[in-house]
């Protein structure tokens, strides 16, 4: 093969693949621009509807990724590679990676379900997967919770979504449940009236639903009363502590006894000669 033929062949290859490379670069550049525009449009549309920031970030990133996948397929097609073969290779690789990372993928899937269905959001107090506390961050693979004693706990999403989730602050109001024992010698009606007055004097206690005082049990050492005021969720702990404190003071002022546990023992005397 003479030099002219080699140069001609190299020129043909350069022209052919040069055009394909330039075309691939153009597709990649335009594709990245389109992907960025799509991500911004999705973010803007969801933000306009006041969607939770976690959802906004997730779906905008997903939209960007989907567009970029189509762009990469188009770039590969420029070089004559069959898309079906490429997809088959990706599927096989995805299966192998998925099998190796099945724990992480289960966390990812649970994270998607949590983000989409939103059983809780940032700022909620939840009890899930054996951990109770305030939700600080929600990610695709885990949820970060701060416990009441300010311990940062990172919980895998699969543990949370596969268990019972108690969203303590999911509703606007909460009921305080107190059990207060009084002596059998104390007047029940008077004790119930005093407890009701304490609740009605607290501005945080709601009128609807109405607070409740009732006899719940005739225990071994006391008559147990249930005291149940309703409050706004943000007032729960403050109202609980104050109502308990004020009931004790009101009972003392009205001569209503809160007894200590006690037992009555009967001694049987033996008769002489037995």
């Amino acid at each position: 093969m003479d030099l002219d033929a080699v140069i001609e062949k190299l020129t043909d290859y350069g022209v052919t693949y040069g055009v394909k490379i330039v075309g691939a670069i153009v597709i990649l550049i335009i594709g990245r621009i389109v992907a960025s525009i799509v991500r911004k449009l999705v973010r803007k549309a969801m933000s306009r509807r006041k969607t939770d920031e976690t959802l906004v970030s997730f779906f905008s990133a997903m939209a960007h990724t989907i567009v970029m996948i189509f762009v990469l397929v188009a770039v590969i097609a420029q070089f004559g590679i069959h898309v079906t073969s490429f997809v088959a290779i990706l599927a096989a690789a995805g299966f192998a990676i998925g099998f190796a990372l099945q724990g992480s993928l289960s966390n990812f899937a649970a994270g998607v379900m949590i983000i989409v269905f939103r059983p809780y959001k940032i700022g909620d107090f939840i009890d899930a997967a054996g951990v109770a506390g305030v939700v600080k961050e929600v990610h695709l693979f885990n949820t970060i919770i701060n416990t009441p004693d300010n311990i940062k706990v990172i919980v895998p999403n699969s543990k949370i979504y596969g268990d019972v989730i108690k969203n303590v602050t999911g509703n606007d109001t909460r009921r305080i449940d107190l059990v207060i024992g009084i002596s059998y010698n104390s007047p029940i009606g008077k004790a119930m009236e005093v407890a009701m007055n304490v609740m009605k004097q607290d501005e945080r206690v709601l009128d609807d639903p109405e607070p409740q005082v009732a006899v719940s049990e005739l225990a071994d050492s006391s008559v147990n009363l249930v005291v149940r005021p309703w409050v706004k969720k943000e007032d729960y702990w403050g109202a609980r502590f104050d109502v308990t404190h004020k009931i004790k003071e009101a009972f003392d002022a009205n001569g209503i006894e809160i007894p200590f546990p006690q037992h009555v023992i009967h001694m049987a005397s033996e008769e002489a000669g037995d």
Side-chain angles (χ1 to χ4, degrees):
M1 184 178 295
D2 58 10
L3 182 60
D4 292 337
V6 172
I7 294 175
E8 184 179 356
K9 198 168 187 64
L10 289 175
T11 302
D12 291 337
Y13 279 130
V15 171
T16 302
Y17 286 100
V19 172
K20 291 181 178 180
I21 291 172
V22 171
I25 293 173
V26 171
I27 292 173
L28 186 61
I29 293 173
I30 295 175
R32 290 190 63 180
I33 295 173
V34 172
S36 298
I37 293 173
V38 170
R39 177 167 56 186
K40 290 178 181 178
L41 289 176
V42 171
R43 175 174 286 276
K44 186 176 181 180
M46 297 186 72
S47 298
R48 190 182 298 118
R49 296 183 179 182
K50 298 181 179 179
T51 308
D52 187 80
E53 181 59 30
T54 306
L55 285 173
V56 173
S57 299
F58 174 72
F59 282 109
S60 60
M62 180 178 287
H64 181 272
T65 301
I66 290 173
V67 173
M68 287 305 301
I69 288 174
F70 282 107
V71 171
L72 291 176
V73 170
V75 169
I76 291 170
Q78 281 290 108
F79 296 96
I81 300 174
H82 294 291
V83 176
T84 53
S85 301
F86 178 71
V87 171
I89 293 172
L90 281 181
F95 176 80
I97 294 172
F99 184 78
L101 301 175
Q102 52 186 326
S104 297
L105 290 178
S106 65
N107 287 327
F108 174 82
V112 172
M113 299 298 286
I114 290 171
I115 289 173
V116 172
F117 292 105
R118 301 180 66 193
Y120 55 83
K121 62 183 184 298
I122 294 173
D124 284 345
F125 190 102
I126 68 170
D127 185 352
V131 179
V134 178
V135 177
K136 289 299 181 182
E137 299 177 36
V138 180
H139 301 292
L140 283 176
F141 292 94
N142 56 59
T143 295
I144 298 177
I145 298 175
N146 272 12
T147 62
D149 53 346
N150 203 32
I151 297 176
K152 182 178 180 180
V153 182
I154 302 173
V155 187
N157 285 332
S158 60
K159 295 286 187 182
I160 294 178
Y161 204 73
D163 199 355
V164 175
I165 302 173
K166 294 181 181 179
N167 192 335
V168 178
T169 55
N171 296 322
D172 293 332
T173 58
R174 290 186 65 185
R175 189 183 72 187
I176 299 173
D177 289 335
L178 301 176
V179 178
I180 299 175
I182 63 172
S183 168
Y184 274 92
N185 296 324
S186 297
I188 296 176
K190 181 64 174 178
M192 294 174 65
E193 180 183 351
V194 169
M196 182 63 75
N197 288 336
V198 168
M199 290 188 291
K200 288 184 176 180
Q201 290 171 6
D202 194 311
E203 296 180 352
R204 293 164 296 188
V205 175
L206 303 176
D207 295 328
D208 185 21
E210 293 183 0
Q212 180 187 26
V213 181
V215 178
S216 65
E217 183 184 12
L218 301 178
D220 294 338
S221 305
S222 63
V223 177
N224 290 339
L225 305 179
V226 289
V227 180
R228 294 174 173 173
W230 287 81
V231 297
K232 294 181 180 179
K233 61 183 180 182
E234 58 269 19
D235 294 331
Y236 179 84
W237 287 110
R240 182 186 181 95
F241 296 149
D242 289 345
V243 167
T244 303
H245 184 188
K246 290 176 182 177
I247 286 178
K248 172 62 171 66
E249 291 182 337
F251 278 8
D252 290 344
N254 287 272
I256 299 170
E257 181 185 357
I258 299 177
F260 296 100
Q262 53 188 288
H263 296 281
V264 177
I265 300 175
H266 297 277
M267 302 294 292
S269 61
E270 296 183 358
E271 295 182 2
D274 289 349

